[in-house]
Amino acid sequence: MNTRIAYLLAGVATLAGIIVVGIAALGTGRADEQSGRAYVTTIPPGYRDWKFISVAHEEANFNSFAAVLGNDVAIKAYREGKLPFPDGAIIAALHYRHTPSEENNKVFGQAQSFVAGPPTNIQFMVKDSKKYSATGGWGFAHFQDGKPADEAFMKPCFPCHNQAKATDLIFTRYAP
Amino acid sequence: MNTRIAYLLAGVATLAGIIVVGIAALGTGRADEQSGRAYVTTIPPGYRDWKFISVAHEEANFNSFAAVLGNDVAIKAYREGKLPFPDGAIIAALHYRHTPSEENNKVFGQAQSFVAGPPTNIQFMVKDSKKYSATGGWGFAHFQDGKPADEAFMKPCFPCHNQAKATDLIFTRYAP
């Protein structure tokens, strides 16, 4: 083959390759948005220092404690009684085993005392009404041992929280 | 009576009165220290913004949730694993009724969910190893509806907490 034609064919092939890859990448992005995938995979920094919102205790499958904390935007909204939560609000639910405390029970003289046992998972809800418009304005997150859950795991978050429309999808009330 | 003698007697009487009142006041002070009365009657300002330490749930008589928060000195000591707590550390226990959540139970489809109900009381432990030397270095506090409990109510605090000598009289562990 003529060398110049060879180079020309190589160049066209390369260009075609680049165009194909580019289209594929764009296609994936659109699919993401269309599928409504909207969950958070990075732990918001500094969450352990956030202010206290409330506590909860779940029996049954969970058998757990939740300590609910909020960043300053979330806390401010709670204290002002302001719904919906503004963009930038982040609420964290730190989960632990609901564990009997032998030491406390000895002191009380009877079995009555439960404390936060081993941590089980940390969940977040991140408010961004544009980015997460498909899921009520909230991006959901679940981390176990620092690792984010996968998409299948995260699917039930929104439909369940969507039953709390009256309180902007947030079940937890502020504890005075 | 001679006017000058009258005035002289009045002056002596007044002086005597002042001395008596002064001795009485001093006497009360010494009696306080000797009786070991060491409890806190002013709510430490800003406690609601303190960082989160842990949660607890007491069944039996209390039927309550505790959210344990700490000021920066306390949090730092916890995170450094440092005992005893340094002077200036303050730990707050915010107590609420352990209340079933109808709304949550509807969503879960079964009775399993308990949340912080009405607040019941707020308790504090304030570290000052000199001022509270008679009670292990800690001043105890209990407030209900913003009002401090009386001395009789506060009497059991120290003997109970003194059963946690190994952890500087603090039962609550830091939740990661």
Side-chain angles (χ1 to χ4, degrees):
Chain A
M1 187 190 287
N2 183 304
T3 325
R4 277 191 290 178
I5 290 172
Y7 276 126
L8 184 63
L9 284 171
V12 169
T14 307
L15 188 61
I18 289 168
I19 290 170
V20 165
V21 168
I23 289 173
L26 277 171
T28 309
R30 282 200 296 270
D32 272 341
E33 284 160 10
Q34 287 166 353
S35 75
R37 191 179 308 166
Y39 61 100
V40 175
T41 53
T42 312
I43 294 178
Y47 74 89
R48 190 55 184 81
D49 283 345
W50 292 350
K51 294 183 173 63
F52 172 73
I53 295 169
S54 192
V55 289
H57 160 216
E58 300 298 332
E59 291 183 334
N61 292 339
F62 294 142
N63 188 33
S64 77
F65 268 122
V68 184
L69 310 182
N71 68 355
D72 287 348
V73 179
I75 293 287
K76 188 170 185 286
Y78 263 118
R79 289 176 176 176
E80 291 173 357
K82 182 175 152 157
L83 289 171
F85 284 85
D87 284 357
I90 309 180
I91 298 170
L94 284 59
H95 292 110
Y96 308 89
R97 286 279 169 238
H98 182 258
T99 303
S101 167
E102 265 194 54
E103 178 187 21
N104 293 358
N105 289 338
K106 265 205 206 100
V107 173
F108 280 125
Q110 63 179 9
Q112 66 174 61
S113 189
F114 298 85
V115 296
T120 49
N121 66 64
I122 305 172
Q123 301 182 326
F124 296 89
M125 285 176 70
V126 179
K127 193 73 185 290
D128 185 329
S129 45
K130 283 203 178 72
K131 185 173 183 183
Y132 304 121
S133 56
T135 48
W138 290 100
F140 297 87
H142 175 104
F143 298 92
Q144 186 171 335
D145 303 317
K147 285 180 295 238
D150 63 22
E151 192 188 0
F153 187 95
M154 299 307 292
K155 263 192 147 65
C157 300
F158 171 57
C160 177
H161 272 266
N162 208 27
Q163 296 178 68
K165 279 201 188 71
T167 47
D168 195 25
L169 279 60
I170 299 297
F171 290 106
T172 302
R173 304 287 193 278
Y174 183 80
Chain B
M1 187 189 281
N2 185 303
T3 326
R4 275 190 294 177
I5 290 173
Y7 278 125
L8 184 62
L9 285 170
V12 169
T14 309
L15 187 61
I18 291 168
I19 292 171
V20 165
V21 168
I23 290 175
L26 277 171
T28 309
R30 279 200 299 272
D32 273 345
E33 285 162 5
Q34 286 164 353
S35 75
R37 191 179 309 167
Y39 61 101
V40 175
T41 53
T42 312
I43 294 178
Y47 73 90
R48 189 57 185 80
D49 283 345
W50 292 352
K51 295 184 171 67
F52 172 73
I53 295 169
S54 192
V55 289
H57 160 216
E58 300 297 332
E59 291 182 335
N61 292 340
F62 294 143
N63 188 33
S64 77
F65 268 123
V68 184
L69 310 183
N71 68 354
D72 286 348
V73 179
I75 293 288
K76 187 169 186 286
Y78 264 116
R79 289 177 178 176
E80 291 173 356
K82 182 175 152 155
L83 290 171
F85 285 85
D87 283 358
I90 309 180
I91 297 170
L94 284 60
H95 293 109
Y96 309 89
R97 285 278 168 239
H98 182 256
T99 304
S101 166
E102 265 194 55
E103 179 189 19
N104 293 358
N105 288 339
K106 265 203 206 102
V107 173
F108 280 124
Q110 63 179 10
Q112 65 174 61
S113 190
F114 297 86
V115 295
T120 50
N121 66 64
I122 306 171
Q123 300 182 327
F124 296 89
M125 285 177 70
V126 179
K127 194 74 185 291
D128 185 328
S129 45
K130 283 206 179 68
K131 185 174 182 185
Y132 304 121
S133 57
T135 48
W138 291 101
F140 297 86
H142 176 104
F143 298 92
Q144 187 171 335
D145 303 318
K147 286 182 295 248
D150 63 22
E151 193 190 359
F153 188 96
M154 299 307 292
K155 263 192 148 61
C157 301
F158 171 58
C160 177
H161 272 266
N162 208 26
Q163 296 176 68
K165 279 202 189 71
T167 47
D168 194 25
L169 278 61
I170 299 298
F171 290 105
T172 303
R173 304 286 192 278
Y174 182 81

